Amino acid sequence: MYLGMMAGHHMGWGRIEEEGWRKGPWTAEEDGLLIEYVKLHGEGRWNSVARLAGLKRNGKSCRLRWVNYLRPELKRGQITPHEESIILELHARWGNRWSTIARSLPGRTDNEIKNYWRTHFKKKAKLPSDASDKAKNRFLRRKQFHNQQHQQQQQQHLQVNQEEVKRIMALLDENNDTKLPCFWPQVKQGMETISTYPHHTTDHQEQGFYYSMLNGNVSVPEASNNEDNFLWDGLWNLNDVHGNFSSTCATGKAS
DNA sequence: AAGGGTCCCAACCGCGCGCGC
DNA sequence: CGCGCGCGCGGTTGGGACCCT
């Protein structure tokens, strides 16, 4: 589906470099060859691709194409508000460590996150207020349609999760041996609140936090000391208590 | 309507790290 | 030790799409 879409998109300026490597946009045929190669040989050994798959691309180009575009687990479509809040929080914590941030967003690539942040936040911070408002409005308009869809998804998600959240809280309350972070009461209260009024949170960050909790992507505060890290590690590993709770947290690459 | 500005994103580049020889 | 190789990362570029004046 997307193969054809992209193939036609930039066609025409693919070129051969002095070493004989092709550069520029990938064709559907090249994508097909690369997919076939990974099916047969798995990821890695990218410099063998040219020889084994008959591609006139260097290893670097192949790896990039696979990682950023062809991997089947990649998510398509706009960054959701939930993902956006995670990006902001993790960027505040880690800076431009895009691959690290990407590990907390399954299906998103470092390149995607980097591009997103650059376009939406880097410049925005410097803009004068009216221009900033314009940009914001434009952005919001663009996202409106997507947000509606996302909200529908969340509604479904939350309905499913409400029961699960209650079960988890009961489980955690029962289990006195479990190390809970010091702010667990507030977290619990937040979860109870969203269980009852899932769509009435107005504060963006708070909403992001609760979405994170429900999806298992816990937002991470600025780490000021080791104790903080320890506490967050405790919360991060809630999936030890309940397997489904953190199903989207930390991809295989991260571990 | 036009053209200049901005957004968006795929792809490239340079650098550094780890590893094996 | 040092060299080459493979790989991953962050920064940058280029060009089409879209928006604004």
Side-chain angles (χ1 to χ4, degrees), chain A residues 10 31 38 54 69 81 88-90 100 115 120 147 184 187 197 247 250:
Chain A
H10 287 286
D31 282 343
V38 176
Y69 202 82
L88 284 171
E89 285 172 20
L90 296 188
T100 309
N115 281 334
H120 290 100
N147 285 354
W184 171 247
V187 170
Y197 303 106
S247 58

Side-chain angles (χ1 to χ4, degrees), chain A residues 85-127:
Chain A
S85 66
I86 292 173
I87 291 170
L88 284 171
E89 285 172 20
L90 296 188
H91 186 269
R93 179 180 164 89
W94 289 321
N96 295 357
R97 292 164 67 180
W98 305 115
S99 59
T100 309
I101 295 171
R103 286 182 198 121
S104 296
L105 293 162
R108 300 295 186 186
T109 67
D110 55 349
N111 207 31
E112 203 175 1
I113 293 165
K114 182 171 58 181
N115 281 334
Y116 185 80
W117 192 85
R118 282 178 62 86
T119 22
H120 290 100
F121 301 112
K122 193 177 182 176
K123 256 188 179 174
K124 228 186 207 178
K126 292 179 192 168
L127 289 173

Side-chain angles (χ1 to χ4, degrees), chain A residues 158-187:
Chain A
L158 287 167
Q159 276 174 4
V160 174
N161 272 323
Q162 275 176 26
E163 286 307 309
E164 201 169 339
V165 166
K166 283 176 193 168
R167 279 211 312 276
I168 293 158
M169 287 194 295
L171 225 131
L172 288 167
D173 280 344
E174 273 173 30
N175 187 357
N176 291 331
D177 295 337
T178 310
K179 280 181 221 156
L180 291 177
C182 57
F183 46 81
W184 171 247
Q186 291 96 303
V187 170

Side-chain angles (χ1 to χ4, degrees), chain A residues 70-87:
Chain A
L70 297 176
R71 273 191 301 155
E73 64 265 31
L74 288 181
K75 239 185 222 174
R76 303 281 154 194
Q78 277 192 316
I79 301 282
T80 65
H82 168 220
E83 290 171 319
E84 183 186 299
S85 66
I86 292 173
I87 291 170

